[in-house]
Amino acid sequence: MKKRAFPRAASVALVALVALAACSAKPERPGASAPPPSPLRPKPTAAPEPLLGPARYVLAEGVGVSFDEAGRDSALPRREPALASGHRFLLDGGLVLAEAPGPEALYGFRSLPARLGGGYVFWSDARTYRADTFLGELRPIAQIAAEGGARPWLDTLVLRTDLGLLELDPRAATPDLRRTDLARFAEAFSLDGKHGVRLDAFGRAEITTDGGKTFRDLTAERSVRIFALEEGESGKLLLLTGAGRQPTLALDPAKGLVPVAADPPNDLGWGMMTSLAEDTLPSSRRLAPPELATAVFAGARLPGGRVLVTREQSVRVLALATGQVLDDAPLTNVAEPYAHCQPIPRGADVLLACTHSHGAHVLALQDDPSAPRLEATFPEPSTFIAGQGPRFAFTGRCGALVPTAADFRGAPPVNDAQPKLFGPSEFEREFTTPPADPPEPLDPTPADEAYVCVRSADGAWTERRLTGEDATHLYRFLPGDGGTATALVFRSKDTKTASKPAPEGIRILHVDPEDPALGGAAFPAAPTPMEEPPYRSIDRDFWLDDKDGSIHGWIVLPPEGESAEDAERPDPIPQGRSERMLPVSTRLGGRFAGVHIHPDGRVEVHPLPPGVVEVIRGGPFALARADNDGAATYHESTDGGRTFRPVVAPPVGELNAPYDANMVQGCSELGCALGDGVVRLGWGSPAPAAPLDTPPDIASAPEPPVKRLGSLPLRCRLERPGAPAPRGDSKADAAPLPASLRTPPGVAVGLVRAGSFTVDVGLPFDPRPPRRATFKAPSLTRVEGAIVPVLLATDASPVGLFLRTPELRFDLGLPGSPSRDPVPLQHNGVFTAAADLGRGDLLTLQAGDGELFLLRGGLLRRFTQMARVPDVTRHRLGLARRRGDAASPRLAVSAVSGTSGDILLADLDLARATLGPVRAAGSLTNLDASPACRPDPDAYRLLAEVLVDVQFDPPDPDHDAPSLGATALVAVSTGRTCLEGLEVRFPRNNTTLVVRFPSPGASLIRGAGRSDAAVCSSP
């Protein structure tokens, strides 16, 4: 036995000096006998504080929360309405004050101005609701979701839906959902019913100051495009433009359009909307800090409703009532390798239990938390153990009687310019002899020896040693009073061994890990210290009873419904530094039940509530989730699982097994960290309300006045199967796959042989057999890339192609004599469309970036970049070309909605490289393939992606399929949207159906070396 104490008045500076002197002298062996210093009189033991209660749920940073789209946050605390996991909550710094259920999950909300009736509007993924108060009754007002949010307009409310902007009057008893001229815009907002701004898909801004009687084209006046709108201070509407969404203009109800001073640029040259300093200012919309979960998982409760947590080389104090930060203190006098600590209160003391790869140590916090006192060191890495009250121990040898860095055998010296714990100062490094190399680490403890270093209430540490068979099968040490410990040892009831007296200060209690009373349960493996914050290093799974010395703890039950006989017994695995082979479970989650091991070894397993599937625990505290008939219920225990009582379920998410051993999930006297930012603070709560038998029906609401784009029916029949192969040498030389508009990117086309690349080219929407093209390719072995469609001026062949590879361009179907040499072209972008400008020039589009380029041969020059206003209509960008414009091409940028089918056009000024206003040109929902649909001479042609339902007569299993992706050739003119052609790829057999309308249209099924004529119509 070895006892040790250290004077409480020792300062960190003294500890650093002692550490240096000890490093230059021969360290004392941990087991050496020496008279310990006389311990000081212990501080009076503080009376334990009552448990926090009733329990409250708190949402910490990391939980997905949506706040009111209207208004701004406050620097002062206040209640904030919010949505989390689809439910409505009133929050105060993350603390849940009230909540209201709803008929379905909600995704966003906005408070309405008084001129629109006040109250709130909410939206789910299928509907839009209105309520008079935030937690009030939800009334459906539209059978469509406002995916992009809701905006107050002049005298209506605008819903930004996937079918475009829709308007309604929220003041009406039965709101009429309608589509107006706003449908061609992407965003609209009015401050007061008089001043408003509307933006089209490409950022052209129009403003009104007279309630919509007149609009000014701000883009035409000032050559600016607006990316987004944002509510500013003092009722202003900020117009965001430029890099980093910087506001340059604002619409002020009192002054009209006013400039906004730009913020100074940051290091990247961009203006910053908020600085780092502003980001740390108090905000009523800020949730509880993530350290609150750390606090209930591995923190230390302090008097006055506070809790201490450790961070990276610092400690933080939080308020238990709110979870908000009260104070921060850097551990400036502790070197980084030694600052991985978990705090724990022991009586009137607050300790930091620290672990690292070369040992462990205990720091005692005093008046200045940034200057802790070194209380004890331990020469080998291991785990601390905490019992009830002041009981505390380390599962390993004690260090030297006077704690120093020399106890960390094998640790490298700490070099730092500042005086650090275990690190010499500048003066000491300059005027003292450098210490010799540190001694080698201690050898692992033999399996038949086990040590525990127990802390007494007066701060003295006592080493206890267990040997022999009991040490070989030791499961856990448990600290007792006065420096004593209890050894919980695995031993079968059938084992007959001669009784030996227990070592001094150690009581031995045997338990049979296969005792039938366990019901197939297994003892959990001892946790290992965390190497990352919150640095949990203290094991609380088992503890001694204050009355009779029996043992309480937690064991892992078999899964629900599995009998004890069928339960899989865990295989022995190494435990502790001596790697004792013990049959313990490493499961992180599941059904943990309380166990009571009596002094005579009898085992009593406390029953769980019916249906429990998951339990998190910490000491005598636990929270359990049960699943009964598909409904989750929750139960808490504060007596080690002996009793459970039903409690209110968490407001968001549910309790699941931890996915990682380092996950912050567990319980303590402060509450439970459920994981993913949800914290249950305190214990005890009213009984949960009875669940509803059936959820209430959702009332009907007005349907949107717009049809959704569906699949286009296509009926076909084969005419002449087995058409000859393309013109060329022979079928054997035919390309394995023709190049066509629907050829997938990255698929090899054609053949490369003897320095030539030969490919069969199917011109878009041309029902004739493919033609063969040959190019010189002396350095190629394989050709693959992306097919780019090119809008041409001719009616007979309105679309051409070029093949783009990473370094080359092959013109497969463009006007003029085809070049037999590929054109070098190096560019990282992805071209999605192009238009022929004549004389070999092309205008190309990168839809993903909204960039247009001029392409002449292999030379590429940026033409312009389009602003894109975020919307939810699933617009696909493309190019459109006016018919009959060969001499002077007239082009437009097209935006085609994949949900409503709306076709929007914005004319391109090729001389100025600018976009004109967006106009509604037609809709894919009104496609007409009949001979009666004849586009006007000034109609625009474009390509659009559609879905088709293909059905052959007689049925053809290789080609009949619903909802196939297709490319449509569309001509739009006043009042008409004509379907001129379709190309459909059949992935089942790598063939392509080409159709040219009017209906019934000549058609062709193209395949590798085969073309089959057909006739198709679209009813």
Side-chain angles (χ1 to χ4, degrees), residues 903-923:
I903 300 172
L904 304 178
L905 297 181
D907 289 323
L908 265 172
D909 187 331
L910 296 178
R912 299 181 180 179
T914 58
L915 281 178
V918 168
R919 67 182 189 276
S923 174

Side-chain angles (χ1 to χ4, degrees), residues 351-366:
L351 308 178
L352 298 182
C354 312
T355 58
H356 46 87
S357 58
H358 299 286
H361 57 279
V362 171
L363 303 174
L365 296 182
Q366 297 178 313

Side-chain angles (χ1 to χ4, degrees), residues 796-814:
S797 183
V799 183
L801 301 173
F802 71 82
L803 171 64
R804 160 82 190 283
T805 72
E807 297 181 349
L808 298 171
R809 165 187 146 193
F810 296 88
D811 291 343
L812 304 182
L814 298 181

Side-chain angles (χ1 to χ4, degrees), residues 743-760:
T743 300
V747 173
V749 295
L751 288 173
V752 177
R753 182 179 298 172
S756 295
F757 166 50
T758 303
V759 60
D760 295 334

Side-chain angles (χ1 to χ4, degrees), residues 391-404:
R391 295 169 180 165
F392 194 50
F394 175 76
T395 56
R397 298 180 176 99
C398 289
L401 299 182
V402 176
T404 71

Side-chain angles (χ1 to χ4, degrees), residues 92-119:
D92 186 354
L95 178 65
V96 177
L97 302 176
E99 60 181 298
E104 58 182 334
L106 303 174
Y107 292 101
F109 73 99
R110 171 183 280 275
S111 56
L112 298 178
R115 75 174 191 274
L116 296 180

Side-chain angles (χ1 to χ4, degrees), residues 649-946:
V652 300
E654 65 178 13
L655 178 59
N656 289 307
Y659 50 79
D660 185 275
N662 292 318
M663 186 174 177
V664 179
Q665 188 183 63
C667 299
S668 71
E669 63 170 325
L670 300 177
C672 293
L674 280 66
D676 297 326
V678 181
V679 177
R680 185 174 187 262
L681 200 58
W683 296 95
S685 69
L692 297 176
D693 293 335
T694 56
D697 294 332
I698 301 175
S700 60
E703 295 283 347
V706 186
K707 292 192 302 183
R708 288 191 176 275
L709 182 63
S711 291
L712 185 70
L714 193 62
R715 305 293 179 260
C716 303
R717 71 176 187 274
L718 287 174
E719 287 284 286
R720 297 186 305 276
R727 296 185 302 273
D729 297 334
S730 66
K731 279 192 175 184
D733 292 332
L737 191 67
S740 68
L741 182 62
R742 298 294 298 182
T743 300
V747 173
V749 295
L751 288 173
V752 177
R753 182 179 298 172
S756 295
F757 166 50
T758 303
V759 60
D760 295 334
V761 180
L763 292 179
F765 314 107
D766 189 340
R768 293 175 295 178
R771 67 183 185 182
R772 179 156 293 174
T774 302
F775 299 85
K776 296 177 183 179
S779 60
L780 298 179
T781 58
R782 176 184 173 94
V783 175
E784 60 183 42
I787 299 292
V788 181
V790 182
L791 296 176
L792 306 178
T794 61
D795 284 342
S797 183
V799 183
L801 301 173
F802 71 82
L803 171 64
R804 160 82 190 283
T805 72
E807 297 181 349
L808 298 171
R809 165 187 146 193
F810 296 88
D811 291 343
L812 304 182
L814 298 181
S817 301
S819 171
R820 295 310 175 194
D821 293 318
V823 179
L825 176 60
Q826 293 189 353
H827 181 61
N828 294 328
V830 177
F831 296 134
T832 52
D836 178 33
L837 300 179
R839 300 182 301 278
D841 295 341
L842 299 177
L843 183 69
T844 61
L845 169 68
Q846 286 184 191
D849 301 325
E851 288 188 280
L852 290 166
F853 293 87
L854 289 173
L855 179 61
R856 173 174 294 177
L859 299 177
L860 196 67
R861 180 168 60 87
R862 176 181 286 186
F863 180 72
T864 189
Q865 181 163 15
M866 297 171 283
R868 296 293 303 277
V869 176
D871 65 16
V872 291
T873 57
R874 283 73 165 172
H875 276 128
R876 295 189 182 98
L877 292 190
L879 293 175
R881 182 179 190 126
R882 188 175 175 179
R883 297 180 62 201
D885 61 355
S888 56
R890 295 183 61 178
L891 304 178
V893 174
S894 64
V896 181
S897 171
T899 50
S900 67
D902 288 345
I903 300 172
L904 304 178
L905 297 181
D907 289 323
L908 265 172
D909 187 331
L910 296 178
R912 299 181 180 179
T914 58
L915 281 178
V918 168
R919 67 182 189 276
S923 174
L924 296 180
T925 58
N926 300 322
L927 283 176
D928 188 352
S930 69
C933 191
R934 296 182 178 275
D936 297 337
D938 60 350
Y940 278 77
R941 278 196 177 100
L942 63 136
L943 301 179
E945 297 300 308
V946 297

Side-chain angles (χ1 to χ4, degrees), residues 993-1006:
L993 174 63
V994 183
V995 185
R996 187 65 186 266
F997 293 110
S999 185
S1003 308
L1004 188 75
I1005 298 178
R1006 297 188 193 130

